[in-house]
Amino acid sequence: MPAGRRGPAAQSARRPPPLLPLLLLCVLGAPQAGSGAHTAVISPQDPTLLIGSSLLATCSVHGDPPGATAEGLYWTLNGRRLPPELSRVLNASTLALALANLNGSRQQSGDNLVCHARDGSILAGSCLYVGLPPEKPVNISCWSKNMKDLTCRWTPGAHGETFLHTNYSLKYKLRWYGQDNTCEEYHTVGPHSCHIPKDLALFTPYEIWVEATNRLGSARSDVLTLDILDVVTTDPPPDVHVSRVGGLEDQLSVRWVSPPALKDFLFQAKYQIRYRVEDSVDWKVVDDVSNQTSCRLAGLKPGTVYFVQVRCNPFGIYGSKKAGIWSEWSHPTAASTPRSERSGPGGGACEPRGGEPSSGPVRRELKQFLGWLKKHAYCSNLSFRLYDQWRAWMQKSHKTRNQHRTRGSCPRADGARREVLPDKL
Amino acid sequence: MVPTAGEPAAGDSWGMLACLCTVLWHLPAVPALNRTGDPGPGPSIQKTYDLTRYLEHQLRSLAGTYLNYLGPPFNEPDFNPPRLGAETLPRATVDLEVWRSLNDKLRLTQNYEAYSHLLCYLRGLNRQAATAELRRSLAHFCTSLQGLLGSIAGVMAALGYPLPQPLPGTEPTWTPGPAHSDFLQKMDDFWLLKELQTWLWRSAKDFNRLKKKMQPPAAAVTLHLGAHGF
């Protein structure tokens, strides 16, 4: 008699009062329209087999009246009648079947092997589970949202298809505290993922692994050791505002707020900005925006709509030495630069660019800035002359600059800048 | 057995009932619609009818996917396995004259009881091997079926009929049954889906019939055309 239904996990089958098993019918004699009262039993019932193995099955007819015969019985597998040469009459009431070199099951619920009476009616059936044991799951990667939870993803073993239902279980434990835990929320970000929503400890590494089990066996991945603080990600920066900079036609100012969930911890957070022109798919990226919540994009085309996004990396949180995980990009914010007669060349850096023939707005702005500096700062030596000399120097060294990837850096809040000034100054 | 109160409560509105399988038989009475100047149970009958059509549509795709999961021959169009002891499933098929002559209360009660049972069985269709996708679709369908039950209960309350209470000992409970082969289980699943389908077809007709009965007789409209200058 086959044991209970599925694996050990399906203990209390939440099922209604089950329908009578075929076996009992030989006693009770359930009536069947047309084909008399014959029933049968297939052996083995619901076997599990390795791909390539062979199977010898029998269909034994019982019935009422006795003397039910194996004459005229035939087999089908997944609805297809099997060639008669595979069958053999063993005795008066038993038909045998020999299958060799079985292929993997056509569906995970098992291949349907059915014993039919002469008139085609179904006498008995058996589900064949033909497949492979699972392979070791690989490539486990995890991330924690704001240090509150942990989501992990993995890939099933190299050859993928086992033809059997394979159950994956993500397990984790604190390195020095013995107790294994099992993740419960599966399929959160794809078919092979799991989410641990709470009770996570910081400052102690976790050991994480995945166990794959099916009817033919089980396999366990390598153990991944990680510290929650090293895999932290956060929400994208909220409240991203992009606005014009006065009348400057080639600049936009981007401001954002530090992601609120971690705002007290983001001392060393890094940000990245990307922007593109409205009808383009090419994003320009501004890297190395450390710990600022604003940046000025320069070298933009006047009279153009730009889409801007910002993302955050909670680098160095709680003293973690590792890079965190970049958040998603914020929702695109759009703004347009003011129109102008003259269109400036496209650029893409945060700082005011140098080495270009001075355009009216820049000089105007610079003049204002220098005037302000003279009044409020200790830079009384600054003058337009200094600026022009610097521009000349920049033009000369312009060729040696890397033009392909614009790496802007935003002026730091404390105003400190390490720049190389020409000797003659 | 305490009869459920079916009295209309003035001013109460009713919403969808959440029916848990194990407490289905202990549902509180749904307060009836406010009867003063209201359109009667017509709208809720219409709604129930619409729900059966929607569920029928949903079932078509769910059954298709599920039967493909069971594999051939279960997903073949003319598949007709023996109905071994599927007597526990509520049968929708009924003699035409018997069906015609059902009174409203009986008609509604049969529908209500059938879907209560079917919902229980459907919930038990917890195939461990099924894909997460299938389990989601099944869960979604169960929720919709729950909604249908609530809707039928609403109609019954609006018409002043008590909700059927089970006799002690006949409650549909989940008990782990004796060992049951996987193939037999597949056949049970097949018949469950078939019976569900047949019930939804029948219910559409049941509620259509009820709808027609509840419609007010068409008022005679007389037009007086003034003969000015015509």
Side-chain angles (χ1 to χ4, degrees):
Chain A
M1 269 284 253
R5 291 188 58 231
R6 301 260 159 334
Q11 274 320 318
S12 55
R14 290 184 281 111
R15 280 199 289 110
L19 312 183
L20 292 171
L22 259 173
L23 287 168
L24 288 183
L25 285 170
C26 19
V27 175
L28 301 176
Q32 291 213 24
S35 65
H38 298 296
T39 58
V41 172
I42 293 184
S43 177
Q45 194 65 248
D46 309 334
T48 305
L49 304 149
L50 211 51
I51 285 186
S53 55
S54 306
L55 174 71
L56 188 61
T58 57
C59 178
S60 302
V61 191
H62 308 265
D64 170 18
T69 170
E71 278 296 325
L73 295 184
Y74 66 92
W75 297 96
T76 60
L77 181 63
N78 289 328
R80 284 229 196 96
R81 188 159 180 162
L82 292 174
E85 52 266 24
L86 298 175
S87 302
R88 206 162 38 101
V89 177
L90 274 190
N91 60 46
S93 60
T94 310
L95 180 70
L97 174 71
L99 292 172
N101 199 20
L102 290 164
N103 287 326
S105 283
R106 188 189 179 282
Q107 54 272 341
Q108 286 194 348
S109 64
D111 290 322
N112 300 313
L113 179 67
V114 181
C115 177
H116 297 257
R118 186 200 296 269
D119 65 354
S121 58
I122 292 179
L123 295 177
S126 179
C127 292
L128 309 182
Y129 301 95
V130 188
L132 298 165
E135 299 226 352
K136 203 165 91 159
V138 293
N139 289 346
I140 307 180
S141 73
C142 302
W143 61 94
S144 170
K145 190 88 181 287
N146 302 322
M147 300 182 288
K148 290 213 160 53
D149 64 8
L150 192 66
T151 306
C152 293
R153 244 203 309 233
W154 63 90
T155 324
H159 296 129
E161 180 73 81
T162 56
F163 302 97
L164 302 170
H165 170 68
T166 305
N167 195 29
Y168 293 91
S169 183
L170 183 92
K171 301 264 181 86
Y172 59 102
K173 75 186 238 292
L174 282 169
R175 187 179 238 177
W176 299 299
Y177 293 85
Q179 194 199 8
D180 284 6
N181 300 295
T182 309
C183 176
E184 319 244 292
E185 284 176 39
Y186 288 88
H187 318 294
T188 46
V189 286
H192 302 292
S193 63
C194 198
H195 176 243
I196 304 165
K198 57 187 176 127
D199 297 335
L200 287 166
L202 302 176
F203 310 116
T204 307
Y206 271 96
E207 294 186 341
I208 301 175
W209 68 98
V210 178
E211 289 175 7
T213 317
N214 69 20
R215 287 167 183 263
L216 280 172
S218 56
R220 186 198 246 230
S221 70
D222 292 332
V223 174
L224 172 71
T225 306
L226 60 72
D227 207 308
I228 302 280
L229 292 177
D230 290 338
V231 293
V232 180
T233 186
T234 186
D235 312 289
D239 299 336
V240 177
H241 290 292
V242 185
S243 49
R244 294 178 174 182
V245 184
L248 295 179
E249 63 202 22
D250 64 336
Q251 297 192 10
L252 285 173
S253 160
V254 188
R255 277 174 296 113
W256 60 90
V257 175
S258 178
L262 295 180
K263 74 171 158 39
D264 296 331
F265 311 112
L266 291 175
F267 311 117
Q268 292 176 262
K270 292 196 200 169
Y271 296 93
Q272 245 183 15
I273 304 172
R274 69 176 187 181
Y275 61 95
R276 65 173 172 87
V277 181
E278 183 172 20
D279 40 10
S280 158
V281 291
D282 297 321
W283 293 95
K284 282 208 172 64
V285 181
V286 180
D287 236 337
D288 293 337
V289 183
S290 334
N291 209 25
Q292 303 292 296
T293 53
S294 65
C295 177
R296 194 184 284 191
L297 304 174
L300 306 177
K301 280 198 262 210
T304 319
V305 176
Y306 281 89
F307 290 119
V308 181
Q309 290 179 301
V310 187
R311 67 177 181 175
C312 177
N313 184 325
F315 175 72
I317 200 155
Y318 274 131
S320 160
K321 299 281 187 297
K322 298 200 182 151
I325 296 175
W326 286 104
S327 71
E328 295 290 326
W329 289 104
S330 63
H331 289 307
T333 311
S336 63
T337 44
R339 278 186 207 286
S340 96
E341 261 111 86
R342 220 172 1 162
S343 58
C350 239
E351 58 183 330
R353 70 205 187 296
E356 303 277 348
S358 80
S359 46
V362 177
R363 278 192 97 81
R364 209 180 320 133
E365 185 197 29
L366 202 53
K367 195 160 179 185
Q368 289 172 338
F369 175 65
L370 290 174
W372 179 87
L373 261 187
K374 277 207 170 90
K375 266 196 258 173
H376 294 98
Y378 304 107
C379 316
S380 43
N381 298 337
L382 289 178
S383 67
F384 248 107
R385 199 172 62 87
L386 210 59
Y387 170 67
D388 283 330
Q389 278 173 331
W390 172 77
R391 259 185 48 230
W393 173 82
M394 285 291 281
Q395 247 172 343
K396 249 204 288 187
S397 62
H398 187 72
K399 296 177 205 147
T400 61
R401 288 238 201 154
N402 181 1
Q403 283 293 303
H404 294 292
R405 171 89 183 272
T406 51
R407 297 181 58 230
S409 69
C410 288
R412 284 166 49 170
D414 59 12
R417 270 209 134 167
R418 293 192 188 83
E419 288 193 78
V420 177
L421 297 174
D423 288 337
K424 48 180 144 172
L425 301 172
Chain B
M1 191 165 59
V2 177
T4 43
E7 293 100 337
D12 276 358
S13 59
W14 64 276
M16 295 295 257
L17 293 173
C19 311
L20 287 177
C21 214
T22 46
V23 301
L24 266 177
W25 297 105
H26 305 287
L27 276 174
V30 177
L33 295 168
N34 184 349
R35 300 204 131 227
T36 53
D38 75 326
S44 53
I45 293 178
Q46 177 65 44
K47 181 164 162 253
T48 313
Y49 171 82
D50 292 338
L51 261 172
T52 63
R53 302 309 306 272
Y54 169 69
L55 274 164
E56 200 195 326
H57 172 79
Q58 226 189 318
L59 180 61
R60 227 174 288 144
S61 87
L62 173 66
T65 313
Y66 198 86
L67 293 176
N68 281 336
Y69 166 72
L70 296 184
F74 292 93
N75 57 357
E76 277 160 15
D78 297 324
F79 186 56
N80 189 22
R83 244 189 120 116
L84 304 163
E87 306 310 324
T88 43
L89 280 179
R91 287 246 190 170
T93 320
V94 68
D95 178 74
L96 181 61
E97 285 312 317
V98 172
W99 181 79
R100 275 228 195 101
S101 61
L102 286 173
N103 65 45
D104 295 347
K105 179 174 172 193
L106 204 52
R107 194 178 294 278
L108 286 165
T109 306
Q110 285 188 357
N111 270 270
Y112 187 88
E113 287 179 343
Y115 289 115
S116 303
H117 277 96
L118 290 168
L119 183 57
C120 249
Y121 290 136
L122 210 58
R123 285 221 171 91
L125 203 69
N126 181 27
R127 299 193 71 95
Q128 213 188 15
T131 61
E133 181 85 43
L134 254 179
R135 279 198 294 270
R136 258 196 295 266
S137 303
L138 273 167
H140 181 223
F141 189 83
C142 279
T143 310
S144 304
L145 200 54
Q146 242 170 241
L148 177 61
L149 264 173
S151 203
I152 299 175
V155 174
M156 291 180 80
L159 292 172
Y161 301 132
L163 279 182
Q165 299 284 337
L167 293 166
T170 63
E171 286 187 13
T173 50
W174 290 319
T175 46
H180 198 62
S181 88
D182 292 350
F183 189 81
L184 282 174
Q185 185 57 47
K186 285 194 181 185
M187 288 210 287
D188 289 356
D189 294 350
F190 175 86
W191 281 116
L192 175 60
L193 292 171
K194 255 282 178 298
E195 205 55 65
L196 201 44
Q197 193 170 57
T198 316
W199 263 108
L200 287 168
W201 285 337
R202 173 179 150 174
S203 292
K205 295 182 175 35
D206 280 318
F207 285 97
N208 203 29
R209 196 179 178 81
L210 278 169
K211 194 170 55 165
K212 292 209 171 93
K213 280 184 82 177
M214 302 286 157
Q215 260 164 17
V221 176
T222 327
L223 279 176
H224 290 285
L225 285 175
H228 307 292
F230 284 100

